Amino acid sequence: MNNILSEKLNIKISKAQIELELISNKIVELPEVFYFDEIDSTNQWLLSNLSSIGGKKLLCVAEKQLSGRGRAGREWSSPSGANIYMSFTCVSPVKGKDVSALSLIIGLALVRILNRKGVTGLALKWPNDVILNNKKLAGVLIEARMIAGVLVLVVGVGINVKMPVGFELQAERGWADLVDFDVSLADRNHLIAMLYKECSEMIKVFFERGFSGFRDEWMGCDAFAGQEVVILDHGKRVCSGKEVGVDEQGYLLVQSGSDINRIISGDVSLRAASND
Ligand code: BTN
C-alpha cells in the first residue's frame, strides 16, 4: 500500500489505535480512553465526569472542540481532523503540594516527544507554551478540582499538527504547526500515546522529587533566556527586566537592576524598545 493511501485509511484519531499504542509501549497503568468526534472541550468533559472516576485514570481525546479553551479565559482554536486535543487526569498524592510547575513538565514532555520525531527549532515559553520558530505550536491548560478530599488535576494539551488555512489562534505571534516535518495526521494516535506515557512517567518523578531535577533541561529550552521581557497579569503590568530562567520550584526569574523578581503567574512577552 502506498503511503498516501495508508495515511488516508488511518488518518483519524482512534480509541482502539491509542489503546494498542499504549499497550505495546508497556504503559504501567492503562488509562480508560474516551474518544469524541466532536465535544465542547476535552478538559471540560473530564471535569464534568470526575466524580464518577473512582481511582481510574482517564484520557479524553477529540477530533474537534466546539469551545476549546486556553489559559486566562482565552479560546483555543480547535478545527476538525487537524490537530491534537487531549486531556488526562492525575491525582496529586501530596496534600497542599504546589503543583504549578506541572505545566512546565508537560511542555518539556512534549519537546522530548517531538524531538524524537525529528522536529527541530522547539523552545518553551514560561509557563506552558511550546514554541516552534517563534510561533506557538502547543499549549497546556491544567485545571484542578477537589473530589472527596483529593486534588484531581485535569491536564489538557493542544498541539497544532496541520492547521487548515485561515484558522487564527489566540497567540500574540500567530501559530505554528508540524507541516514542515515528517509528522502527519496519521501519526496522531502514536503521538497521543507517547505523550501520555512520557507525561505519566515525568509526573511520577515530579510528585516524588519536585521540579528541581527538570530545571536544567527546562532552562536549556527557554525561549526568552537572557532577553528583556514584560510580565503581565490579567493585562496589568507586573514587572519588566531580564529573564534569567526558573528557580527550583519552576517560578520565573526576572532581573531588574540588582533585584530578582520571582514570578508565580502571568504572561511573558518580549519588551519592545518603546516600553522602556
Ligand atoms: C493555552 O496555551 O492557552 C492552553 C491551551 C490548551 C488547549 C487544550 S486542547 C485540549 C484541552 N481542552 C481544552 O479545552 N483546552 C485544552
Side-chain angles (χ1 to χ4, degrees):
M1 197 187 308
N2 70 38
N3 283 345
I4 297 172
L5 183 56
S6 79
E7 176 163 316
K8 279 210 166 109
L9 290 174
N10 299 314
I11 213 160
K12 281 196 70 146
I13 291 179
S14 141
K15 170 179 153 71
Q17 277 298 324
I18 294 171
E19 286 171 342
L20 213 62
E21 292 272 0
L22 288 168
I23 292 167
S24 58
N25 282 285
K26 300 189 174 49
I27 183 108
V28 182
E29 208 182 327
L30 274 179
E32 189 165 348
V33 180
F34 297 86
Y35 166 78
F36 299 92
D37 283 333
E38 185 175 295
I39 198 161
D40 51 356
S41 145
T42 53
N43 262 38
Q44 185 52 51
W45 189 84
L46 284 181
L47 288 169
S48 307
N49 286 278
L50 284 183
S51 50
S52 55
I53 67 170
K56 277 181 295 184
K57 301 204 164 187
L58 309 181
L59 169 62
C60 178
V61 292
E63 277 287 5
K64 174 179 181 176
Q65 294 186 119
L66 299 166
S67 318
R69 51 184 196 238
R71 282 180 63 234
R74 288 187 279 258
E75 183 203 344
W76 185 259
S77 289
S78 308
S80 183
N83 299 321
I84 288 175
Y85 317 115
M86 65 183 278
S87 303
F88 57 90
T89 56
C90 71
V91 170
S92 173
V94 190
K95 258 202 169 146
K97 186 176 173 72
D98 177 1
V99 292
S100 54
L102 198 56
S103 58
L104 280 70
I105 305 250
I106 307 299
L108 207 47
L110 193 44
V111 169
R112 285 185 183 180
I113 294 298
L114 292 174
N115 277 338
R116 275 179 224 153
K117 298 289 283 179
V119 180
T120 51
L122 295 167
L124 290 167
K125 178 182 160 195
W126 189 90
N128 54 7
D129 290 354
V130 179
I131 305 289
L132 176 64
N133 298 328
N134 295 322
K135 296 199 171 128
K136 184 154 169 172
L137 174 73
V140 179
L141 176 68
I142 301 183
E143 299 180 270
R145 293 284 185 278
M146 287 301 288
I147 305 284
V150 176
L151 182 65
V152 183
L153 303 166
V154 169
V155 179
V157 185
I159 310 168
N160 302 329
V161 178
K162 192 176 180 183
M163 281 297 253
V165 177
F167 259 87
E168 289 306 323
L169 197 72
Q170 307 281 315
E172 70 236 38
R173 288 173 299 157
W175 49 266
D177 63 15
L178 294 171
V179 283
D180 292 336
F181 295 93
D182 192 19
V183 177
S184 74
L185 290 174
D187 291 318
R188 289 179 297 162
N189 295 309
H190 175 69
L191 281 175
I192 290 167
M194 290 301 93
L195 184 61
Y196 182 82
K197 182 173 191 239
E198 193 72 24
C199 288
S200 307
E201 291 167 2
M202 291 171 79
I203 288 171
K204 188 166 179 285
V205 175
F206 170 68
F207 282 141
E208 283 167 9
R209 298 184 226 147
F211 176 73
S212 55
F214 297 106
R215 182 178 175 224
D216 287 350
E217 189 182 350
W218 196 95
M219 302 246 283
C221 302
D222 186 353
F224 287 174
Q227 303 206 53
E228 292 293 321
V229 295
V230 181
I231 310 297
L232 300 177
D233 198 6
H234 295 94
K236 278 183 74 177
R237 187 182 172 119
V238 177
C239 75
S240 59
K242 192 204 278 186
E243 201 260 58
V244 289
V246 290
D247 71 4
E248 302 275 305
Q249 274 75 47
Y251 296 138
L252 189 73
L253 301 174
V254 177
Q255 183 174 8
S256 175
S258 56
D259 294 337
I260 301 269
N261 295 295
R262 216 167 151 246
I263 310 298
I264 293 171
S265 70
D267 285 314
V268 188
S269 54
L270 284 178
R271 185 156 110 183
S274 57
N275 284 338
D276 286 348

